[in-house]
């Protein structure tokens, strides 16, 4: 019986290499059966019996399963033996390209862009957060008969004795008393200009004429009668708008912006920046304000700072000395707020901004840029880049401090023309 497929005979075997062959040479590779590693198998031609599929050297005779699993010989795609596969045998090679070296210039560039983006977003977010906290409650458009504005910007900075929001314990701790309403405890004009900044204190006991004004709430016109009062009485009569009107009427200097802070806010800002360092020239004590200070350089907390700026009974010059102490401390506070240690430290900056902005009352046209300009100007005054003085005083009348009209006129002219101030104060 012939074991060879149909059409084949022993004559076709010729001289073959192998069992029963007399030939010494191996059979040609052209007629040798190919064994393919992997899931594919040689194609089945007509008259060729099914061939086993070799997978990793393991034979499998289940030809039907190969058909069912989508067997592909690879011939249709031009696949050649010896290429591809994962066996790692001879002829295989790693087609993956080597990993490129890190592009450090590109990484640094994108890191810098990311940092700048975060900084810009944080800055813009902080700006709108802080701007939204400003209490723009003073309407300077209600002030009538205003003088012409000069060069530079004039801020009226007011410290009130408002106890709003303070508990009984806080009032006792800060020695504020429990008086109803609010009055001015300090008043200053800060002129910001190109020829140096000037801080002028207005004693609360200054003798001024109460002019004609329009009520900030009622809208009613109150005619001036030539009556003279202490400056802080103008604030007590009709608040910030009448105070601005009275100062402008008695000086001829236009007020561009208004800033007010109460007792609690002042103490909170000082505590938020970690205290303010100041040099006290002479020891003093005052039971009314709670002050008890030794001479020399020292750091004051909020409670101590409030006592320092409110004390007047301990001084022979009373209110005049108090205004000098207020100037000195506010300039030192502005210097502390504007230092990199506060501005660049979010753990100090945000509590400081929050403490200040929660209690500041400003005019409706006041912006954060204006507020920042004011603080940096006060810092400059403290650093010797500006001038600080009391309003020039010529004497007193009935307990009121009378301004030196000639010197006040010269001072106002120098401020309006943004000239270096040469006038000396009281």
């Amino acid at each position: 019986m012939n074991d060879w497929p149909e059409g084949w005979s022993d004559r076709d075997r010729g001289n073959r290499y192998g069992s029963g062959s007399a030939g010494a040479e191996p059979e040609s590779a052209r007629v040798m059966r190919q064994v393919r590693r992997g899931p594919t198998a040689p194609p089945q031609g007509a008259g060729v019996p099914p061939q086993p599929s070799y997978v990793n050297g393991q034979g499998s005779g289940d030809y039907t399963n190969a058909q069912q699993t989508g067997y592909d010989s690879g011939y249709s795609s031009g696949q050649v033996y010896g290429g591809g596969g994962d066996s790692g045998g001879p002829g295989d090679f790693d087609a993956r390209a080597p990993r490129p070296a890190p592009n450090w210039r590109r990484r640094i560039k994108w890191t810098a862009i990311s940092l700048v983006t975060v900084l810009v977003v944080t800055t813009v977010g902080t700006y709108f957060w802080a701007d939204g906290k400003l209490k723009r409650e003073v309407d300077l458009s209600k002030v009538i008969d205003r003088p012409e504005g000069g060069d530079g910007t004039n801020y009226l900075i007011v410290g009130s004795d408002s106890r709003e929001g303070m508990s009984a314990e806080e009032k006792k701790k800060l020695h504020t008393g429990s008086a109803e309403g609010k009055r001015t405890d300090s008043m200053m004009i800060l002129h910001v200009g190109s020829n140096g900044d000037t801080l002028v204190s207005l004693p609360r006991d200054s003798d001024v004429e109460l002019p004609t004004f329009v009520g900030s709430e009622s809208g009613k016109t109150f005619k001036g009668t030539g009556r003279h009062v202490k400056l802080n009485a103008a604030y007590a009569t009709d608040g910030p708008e009448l105070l601005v009107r009275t100062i402008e009427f008695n000086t001829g200097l236009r007020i561009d912006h208004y800033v007010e802070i109460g007792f609690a806010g002042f103490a909170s800002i000082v505590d938020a920046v970690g205290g303010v360092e100041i040099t006290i020239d002479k020891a003093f004590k005052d039971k009314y304000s709670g002050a008890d200070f030794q001479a020399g350089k020292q750091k004051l907390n909020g409670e101590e700072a409030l006592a320092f700026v409110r004390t007047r009974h301990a001084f022979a010059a009373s209110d005049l000395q108090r205004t000098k102490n207020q100037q000195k401390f506010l300039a030192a506070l502005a210097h502390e707020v504007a230092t990199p240690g506060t501005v660049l430290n979010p753990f100090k900056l945000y509590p400081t901004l929050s403490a200040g902005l929660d209690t500041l009352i400003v005019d409706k046209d006041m912006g954060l840029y204006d507020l920042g300009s004011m603080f940096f100007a006060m810092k400059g005054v403290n650093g010797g880049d500006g001038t600080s003085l009391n309003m020039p005083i010529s004497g007193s009348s009935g307990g009121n401090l009378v301004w030196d009209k000639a010197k006040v006129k010269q001072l106002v002219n120098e401020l309006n023309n943004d000239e270096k101030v040469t006038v000396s104060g009281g």
Side-chain angles (χ1 to χ4, degrees):
M1 184 175 186
N2 190 352
D3 295 330
W4 294 96
E6 183 181 355
W8 286 34
S9 68
D10 287 337
R11 292 192 304 273
D12 295 323
R13 296 178 61 187
N15 291 329
R16 304 292 182 182
Y17 178 79
S19 176
S21 173
E25 295 181 357
E27 66 180 310
S28 170
R30 179 175 58 83
V31 296
M32 290 180 65
R33 185 176 70 177
Q34 302 294 321
V35 178
R36 175 177 175 83
R37 296 181 182 273
T40 59
Q44 301 296 325
V48 180
Q51 302 296 312
S53 174
Y54 289 85
V55 180
N56 296 329
Q58 301 286 333
S60 174
D62 193 350
Y63 178 70
T64 303
N65 289 343
Q67 289 178 316
Q68 292 175 348
T69 57
Y71 153 77
D72 183 4
S73 67
Y75 277 77
S76 62
S77 61
Q79 183 173 352
V80 296
Y81 297 146
D86 298 323
S87 65
D92 289 347
F93 62 94
D94 188 355
R96 292 176 298 178
R99 178 177 295 179
N103 189 334
W104 290 108
R105 179 176 297 179
R106 182 181 178 87
R107 289 187 179 185
I108 292 173
K109 172 186 173 181
W110 283 107
T111 299
I113 291 175
S114 299
L115 290 176
V116 170
T117 301
V118 170
L119 180 61
V120 170
V121 171
T122 302
T123 301
V124 172
T126 299
Y127 177 88
F128 284 104
W129 167 79
D131 188 71
K133 292 178 75 69
L134 279 177
K135 297 180 179 180
R136 298 181 173 92
E137 299 177 0
V138 179
D139 189 357
L140 296 183
S141 68
K142 295 179 179 179
V143 180
I144 63 173
D145 300 333
R146 308 195 68 188
E148 292 293 327
D151 296 330
T153 304
N154 298 316
Y155 298 84
L156 178 59
I157 304 171
V158 175
S160 78
D161 64 359
S162 172
R163 297 152 178 85
E164 183 178 354
M166 296 176 64
S167 65
E169 183 179 350
E170 289 173 326
K171 294 176 184 178
K172 181 178 180 181
K173 178 182 178 182
L174 298 177
H175 301 274
T176 65
S178 300
E180 295 297 327
K182 60 181 182 179
R183 287 154 293 278
T184 53
D185 211 53
S186 62
M187 291 162 283
M188 303 177 189
I189 295 174
L190 175 65
H191 174 81
V192 179
S194 57
N195 283 310
D197 306 316
T198 304
L199 187 62
V200 183
S201 285
L202 310 175
R204 55 182 278 176
D205 293 338
S206 295
D207 185 85
V208 294
E209 180 182 339
L210 200 64
T212 298
F213 68 97
V214 175
S216 60
E217 297 295 334
S218 67
K220 181 181 178 181
T221 299
F222 296 88
K223 290 291 185 179
T225 61
R227 181 167 67 99
H228 281 241
V229 297
K230 291 182 178 180
L231 183 58
N232 65 343
Y235 182 95
T237 300
D238 198 56
E241 288 85 359
L242 179 54
L243 178 62
V244 170
R245 166 71 175 134
T246 302
I247 291 173
E248 291 186 342
F249 177 82
N250 285 270
T251 64
L253 184 70
R254 185 183 180 95
I255 301 300
D256 300 299
H257 291 294
Y258 179 93
V259 181
E260 178 186 324
I261 188 168
F263 283 161
F266 179 81
S268 296
I269 293 175
V270 174
D271 286 334
V273 297
V276 175
E277 191 173 84
I278 194 170
T279 299
I280 298 177
D281 299 325
K282 186 178 180 179
F284 64 89
K285 188 174 182 178
D286 181 17
K287 66 178 182 179
Y288 297 100
S289 66
D292 187 3
F293 298 106
Q294 299 299 316
K297 182 179 290 187
Q298 50 205 286
K299 178 170 282 191
L300 307 185
N301 61 25
E303 178 184 349
E304 295 166 336
L306 188 58
F308 179 78
V309 299
R310 294 185 61 225
T311 297
R312 63 172 177 162
H313 297 285
F315 311 121
S318 188
D319 203 37
L320 290 177
Q321 181 60 45
R322 177 168 71 168
T323 56
K324 291 180 180 179
N325 286 345
Q326 289 171 347
Q327 285 181 348
K328 184 177 183 178
F329 187 85
L330 287 179
L333 174 59
H335 176 79
E336 186 65 38
V337 170
T339 57
T342 299
V343 175
L344 300 179
N345 183 351
F347 297 102
K348 289 184 68 175
L349 176 62
Y350 284 96
T352 301
L353 286 175
S354 182
L357 297 175
D358 279 342
T359 55
L360 281 181
I361 296 175
V362 300
D363 65 271
K364 293 185 180 296
D365 295 325
M366 186 75 152
L368 285 180
Y369 176 83
D370 302 306
L371 195 61
S373 176
M374 183 192 79
F375 270 100
F376 277 99
M378 293 186 70
K379 177 184 177 182
V381 171
N382 181 66
D385 294 333
T387 304
S388 60
L389 68 152
N390 279 327
M391 186 64 84
I393 303 296
S394 62
S396 62
S397 175
N400 295 354
L401 297 174
V402 179
W403 294 349
D404 187 322
K405 291 184 179 180
K407 287 187 175 181
V408 169
K409 184 178 180 180
Q410 180 183 349
L411 173 63
V412 170
N413 285 337
E414 290 174 342
L415 294 178
N416 275 332
N417 295 322
D418 200 19
E419 300 172 349
K420 186 174 179 59
V421 171
T422 59
V423 177
S424 59

